[in-house]
Amino acid sequence: MSEREFDFEPMTEIVGIGIGKAAEVLNTMLSSHVKLSAPSLAIAKPHELEERLFFRGAERLSAVQMGFEGDFDGQAELVFASDDAGKLVDCITNDLPMPDGDLDSIRAGTLCEIGNIVINALIGTIVNVLEARLDYTVPLYTEGRLEDFVGSIVKEAEVILVVRARFEIENFSIDGDLLVFLSLSTFNRLDSAVKRFANG
Amino acid sequence: MADPCSVYADILQRVPIGIFTVDRHWKLSFWNGRLSEWTGIRAEEALGRPLGEVLPRFVEAHNLSRLGLVMDGGPPVVFSWQLHHDLFPISRRRRGAEEARYTVASSLRDGGILFSVEDYTEVTLLLREARTELGRRREVEAALQQALAAKETVIRESNHRIKNNLMMVTSLISIESDRAEDEVSRRFLSDLASRVSSIGLLHELLYSGPGEEDPRVDEYLEHLGETIVRSYRGEDGLARFSTDIEPIRLSARVAIKVGMIFVEVVTNALKYAGSAERAPRIAVRFSRRASGFELLVEDDGPGMPPPSAVRRDSLGLLLLDSFAGELGGTVEFLPGPGARVRVAFPDPASRRV
């Protein structure tokens, strides 16, 4: 299915529900108020992925990954330019920036939890819509280049949902990309289920 | 054959991460050794008790809502140290740092939740120490760079002042030379001006260079040769002066002696090889030899007088012998045509450019 044929409205609604849940969890946990939104949604074929990404051109990326298998298989990743990931953690924890700007293990753990909340909310919503049963891998934090994160999964995936995730905290606004790698059959099932859901 | 369940339980007891489980009713069903070590709570004190009694932070509303989804088979939930640093009751301080842990709660296939707890304290401490050490080294390096730059500035400034003072002395001697009433005094003062000027020129090279300590002998001698020729033969340079000098760096201490030798030999050639009507040809070669260095100055004049007629007690020759001797070298007057003077001295640890 090409982007031109795809009806974005029902999927945008589902993504909005997932992002809303994630914001709710973050705000019950944190002292600072986090506004979370998904200003854009795209579907991409593997070879189109790079040009759809917000962080394209960033030298170093930070990502939280979680794989799933069961009624359907795939992987979800929340990816930031590493500098932005560091800023996000600093804003959320009101911490002072680290001298060299790197994420150490503690701050990587924090980013992993933020990513875990966002990914769980979106995947949880999709699973509910599809009425599916899945097993999940433990969330993993990694740093590197885009090909380090998506090198193997992008070969297996046929469709990638690309959701721009925007975190707004006080005066800061930090964008990342939430990627969901799916097979074409899973994507088609999801598309049908989402349309049914939207039609009530 | 050992019961697989007891084997796995034994393994989980010994792994270097904290592990505990709760059953469907939120009661603790497993508690490993590492967790006992970290929290001070023994397995027999924890097992069978509700999670909220042993680790109350886990059942606070915002955490329980997330764990509820895991209990229902949802995706794993992460509890990071920065956002949940008080999940465990005992927080010992290790080398001044609060213990840092990272917990993941995953759904168990048969119901219940598995909690795995990783300790980041050591990694965090090592990172903190490495950063502190890096910062300290950067500060030391910056201070050293600053001190080095200051030292170079002082040396340059000092060379600049020495050069200016020597140029002033040279000018004063030259004025006296012009005012001298007899030729002998004029020659004496002119030679003295060249000698002082050669030292001033070296200091000029030292302060105007790129900050390296050792001057290039080719730049020094070529510059010096031009100055002496101008002084003796006027601005029109009525002398055919050629040089073939290898680009070698010598320490300032050695270069100044080579410069003084050069002044004596070239001045001598200018005095005797030409006349008011005839421009002399003077060729200078400075090269590396197997045994050290060699300075060879040749002219097309009448040549040196026979050895028996050479006055070894003249000031020029005394200085030549003296500086060559200080370098551990020798002075030779070679057969003509013209005058040919060779000064050889051993390598005083020089380096090539």
Side-chain angles (χ1 to χ4, degrees):
Chain A
M1 178 185 290
S2 74
E3 234 181 9
R4 227 180 284 169
E5 301 163 51
F6 184 67
D7 181 3
F8 278 94
E9 205 176 315
M11 188 64 85
T12 303
E13 192 181 335
I14 293 297
V15 168
I17 293 170
I19 291 292
K21 281 183 184 171
E24 196 182 318
V25 174
L26 281 171
N27 284 307
T28 53
M29 267 174 45
L30 304 172
S31 51
S32 45
H33 179 74
V34 181
K35 187 181 170 199
L36 189 57
S37 59
S40 73
L41 166 71
I43 56 167
K45 291 176 183 162
H47 68 273
E48 300 166 334
L49 178 61
E50 195 160 357
E51 66 196 57
R52 302 298 173 92
L53 299 176
F54 172 75
F55 52 74
R56 66 183 177 277
E59 274 187 20
R60 195 159 183 81
L61 304 173
S62 296
V64 180
Q65 305 174 320
M66 189 178 77
F68 44 84
E69 59 181 19
D71 290 345
F72 59 92
D73 300 346
Q75 184 164 302
E77 302 192 6
L78 181 61
V79 190
F80 296 94
S82 285
D83 287 348
D84 290 344
K87 283 179 203 154
L88 178 63
V89 171
D90 288 338
C91 288
I92 283 183
T93 58
N94 290 323
D95 202 356
L96 292 171
M98 302 300 280
D100 55 6
D102 285 328
L103 285 172
D104 63 14
S105 53
I106 297 293
R107 296 162 81 228
T110 309
L111 188 72
C112 199
E113 178 165 2
I114 296 165
N116 171 242
I117 289 168
V118 176
I119 291 172
N120 282 6
L122 182 65
I123 297 298
T125 306
I126 290 173
V127 164
N128 285 343
V129 168
L130 286 176
E131 296 175 343
R133 172 87 195 171
L134 299 177
D135 288 326
Y136 305 91
T137 62
V138 170
L140 183 70
Y141 172 83
T142 51
E143 278 185 38
R145 294 167 305 167
L146 181 65
E147 51 267 36
D148 300 329
F149 306 133
V150 302
S152 57
I153 188 70
V154 86
K155 286 176 191 153
E156 295 163 24
E158 291 163 303
V159 182
I160 304 144
L161 267 180
V162 184
V163 179
R164 175 77 41 83
R166 177 165 296 161
F167 295 77
E168 290 172 87
I169 308 154
E170 293 170 0
N171 297 325
F172 287 95
S173 172
I174 293 156
D175 283 10
D177 282 311
L178 177 54
L179 312 175
V180 185
F181 296 84
L182 298 166
S183 67
L184 184 59
S185 61
T186 302
F187 179 78
N188 287 335
R189 274 179 57 206
L190 176 63
D191 184 40
S192 308
V194 163
K195 281 174 183 155
R196 280 198 306 276
F197 174 83
N199 293 330
Chain B
M1 190 173 167
D3 172 17
C5 287
S6 72
V7 171
Y8 293 137
D10 196 31
I11 291 169
L12 293 177
Q13 280 294 348
R14 295 159 191 260
V15 290
I17 59 171
I19 291 179
F20 66 99
T21 60
V22 294
D23 62 19
R24 292 170 189 281
H25 308 289
W26 299 93
K27 287 190 174 166
L28 288 159
S29 50
F30 184 84
W31 187 269
N32 82 343
R34 183 50 58 100
L35 211 54
S36 298
E37 192 188 308
W38 287 342
T39 61
I41 302 170
R42 286 175 287 126
E44 52 269 33
E45 294 171 312
L47 294 177
R49 289 173 64 196
L51 175 65
E53 276 184 25
V54 181
L55 301 171
R57 295 286 190 197
F58 277 99
V59 296
E60 286 176 354
H62 57 276
N63 292 334
L64 196 58
S65 62
R66 294 172 72 199
L67 287 172
L69 296 173
V70 181
M71 188 64 94
D72 293 339
V77 166
V78 170
F79 296 96
S80 64
W81 180 80
Q82 273 187 303
L83 301 181
H84 309 272
H85 61 276
D86 53 359
L87 278 178
F88 294 90
I90 292 177
S91 192
R92 287 181 297 159
R93 292 179 76 81
R94 219 185 292 174
R95 283 190 276 155
E98 198 171 354
E99 292 205 340
R101 301 206 177 91
Y102 173 85
T103 306
V104 178
S106 315
S107 171
L108 285 169
R109 201 173 286 273
D110 297 327
I113 301 175
L114 166 74
F115 294 81
S116 59
V117 189
E118 286 181 61
D119 188 296
Y120 281 1
T121 314
E122 276 306 315
V123 176
T124 311
L125 283 171
L126 287 172
L127 276 170
R128 196 175 65 180
E129 284 166 9
R131 282 204 177 95
T132 306
E133 179 61 16
L134 186 66
R136 195 187 63 78
R137 287 185 186 202
R138 280 182 180 154
E139 278 173 21
V140 169
E141 192 187 336
L144 284 173
Q145 293 283 5
Q146 215 172 359
L148 189 65
K151 183 191 143 207
E152 279 179 2
T153 306
V154 168
I155 289 173
R156 273 166 183 269
E157 183 60 24
S158 146
N159 279 319
H160 194 183
R161 287 184 186 183
I162 292 170
K163 172 241 166 191
N164 284 347
N165 290 341
L166 288 173
M167 289 303 164
M168 197 184 293
V169 172
T170 305
S171 298
L172 289 172
I173 297 170
S174 296
I175 291 167
E176 287 299 323
S177 169
D178 291 343
R179 290 173 47 171
E181 290 177 356
D182 60 284
E183 184 59 23
V184 173
S185 302
R186 198 164 22 251
R187 276 285 168 90
F188 172 79
L189 290 169
S190 176
D191 289 355
L192 184 59
S194 291
R195 287 169 190 139
V196 175
S197 171
S198 75
I199 305 170
L201 190 60
L202 183 70
H203 282 282
E204 185 178 356
L205 285 177
L206 286 172
Y207 94 80
S208 62
E212 293 177 64
E213 191 181 334
D214 293 343
R216 279 175 62 156
V217 76
D218 54 331
E219 288 176 358
Y220 177 41
L221 295 187
E222 278 163 15
H223 208 142
L224 194 53
E226 285 167 19
T227 308
I228 301 169
V229 168
R230 220 174 21 248
S231 157
Y232 266 83
R233 306 290 303 189
E235 285 299 327
D236 53 357
L238 279 174
R240 289 164 291 162
F241 186 76
S242 65
T243 56
D244 177 13
I245 303 170
E246 282 189 36
I248 293 165
R249 285 190 191 280
L250 292 173
S251 71
R253 187 184 61 81
V254 172
I256 204 154
K257 285 166 189 158
V258 172
M260 295 304 283
I261 291 168
F262 180 87
V263 168
E264 295 309 321
V265 181
V266 172
T267 303
N268 216 43
L270 285 163
K271 273 183 202 169
Y272 300 113
S275 63
E277 297 77 31
R278 180 178 164 278
R281 185 190 65 80
I282 299 168
V284 175
R285 195 176 73 204
F286 184 84
S287 53
R288 185 186 288 277
R289 289 283 179 265
S291 57
F293 298 100
E294 181 187 271
L295 173 67
L296 180 66
V297 179
E298 298 172 313
D299 65 45
D300 62 349
M304 294 292 291
S308 58
V310 172
R311 281 190 57 205
R312 301 296 296 198
D313 62 344
S314 72
L315 180 61
L317 282 180
L318 281 174
L319 288 173
L320 193 57
D321 283 337
S322 167
F323 288 122
E326 283 180 30
L327 291 173
T330 54
V331 181
E332 284 180 86
F333 298 99
L334 305 175
R340 299 176 68 218
V341 182
R342 182 173 71 184
V343 180
F345 60 94
D347 183 356
S350 65
R351 59 193 170 87
R352 232 178 176 336
V353 175

